[in-house]
Amino acid sequence: MRIFSRIIAAYDRNIVKLHGWKKVPGSTLEFLYMVPKTYKGNPVRIKDGTVIQKGDRYYEIHIINTNLSKLDTSYGNLFIMLNEELKLIGDHMRRDEAEEYKAVLAVTLLHRLARRAGFTIKDIDNPVMRRLVSTGEVILRTALRKEKDTGPKKKRVAKECWISRNQVLSIET
């Protein structure tokens, strides 16, 4: 493993530990973390009509970057893994202790994949935050993916990807 990859992996593990992120309950894939949050921004309308407002509870999901080298990360398989993890998040949201959670948020470069999975895609309003998050995501993906980078680079921009509780609960099991 390259030294850069080791440094990024150690940084990633420390962030996870520091913030207490937990894997999706019941997951055998170990593809996503699920982090409980309270919303603090401007209202967000999800395409099914759900509105997320200040004080609302939601889950933020993050890819388990340090496991990417062990997984088939082809586009089609990423979609399958996301769908499987969303089903498990739905199972968790059916529990009494999670009934207050209104949505799931991913902030990611993979917004085209998220759109295909039913997420509502929103630009990150703050341009400085948009650039910082995008740059951080590119660094993580570059350092921790298993395949080598080939070809010209596209400028990738992270976006907010929201999916409502009702949408998650309706995913076919």
Side-chain angles (χ1 to χ4, degrees), residues 31-130:
F31 178 54
L32 295 176
Y33 291 114
M34 187 173 89
V35 184
K37 297 272 190 162
T38 301
Y39 190 65
K40 296 178 179 135
N42 294 324
V44 173
R45 179 175 294 279
I46 300 173
K47 64 183 164 189
D48 75 343
T50 300
V51 177
I52 307 301
Q53 300 181 59
K54 280 185 184 170
D56 285 342
R57 300 287 289 158
Y58 67 97
Y59 287 113
E60 189 170 282
I61 56 175
H62 298 269
I63 291 176
I64 302 175
N65 294 302
T66 53
N67 284 353
L68 288 178
S69 64
K70 302 173 196 165
L71 300 170
D72 173 0
T73 57
S74 63
Y75 184 82
N77 203 55
L78 283 173
F79 181 78
I80 291 166
M81 291 188 300
L82 176 60
N83 200 48
E84 290 301 314
E85 297 282 79
L86 286 173
K87 288 177 195 175
L88 291 170
I89 292 170
D91 291 345
H92 178 78
M93 290 176 97
R94 286 181 179 88
R95 295 180 176 182
D96 289 344
E97 69 269 16
E99 66 183 19
E100 68 182 307
Y101 289 83
K102 290 180 70 173
V104 173
L105 168 66
V107 179
T108 182
L109 299 171
L110 301 173
H111 45 84
R112 287 188 297 258
L113 176 75
R115 182 183 316 276
R116 183 175 164 212
F119 285 76
T120 300
I121 312 305
K122 302 279 186 190
D123 288 331
I124 298 171
D125 291 334
N126 181 319
V128 173
M129 186 59 72
R130 181 173 50 242

Side-chain angles (χ1 to χ4, degrees), residues 120-163:
T120 300
I121 312 305
K122 302 279 186 190
D123 288 331
I124 298 171
D125 291 334
N126 181 319
V128 173
M129 186 59 72
R130 181 173 50 242
R131 179 161 292 205
L132 285 173
V133 171
S134 298
T135 302
E137 288 273 312
V138 168
I139 290 169
L140 278 172
R141 299 292 181 268
T142 301
L144 301 176
R145 70 172 170 229
K146 61 183 165 194
E147 66 273 358
K148 298 289 183 221
D149 192 20
T150 59
K153 297 207 188 302
K154 291 182 192 175
K155 184 176 180 185
R156 302 206 182 253
V157 177
K159 296 188 182 222
E160 290 183 4
C161 305
W162 289 93
I163 190 167

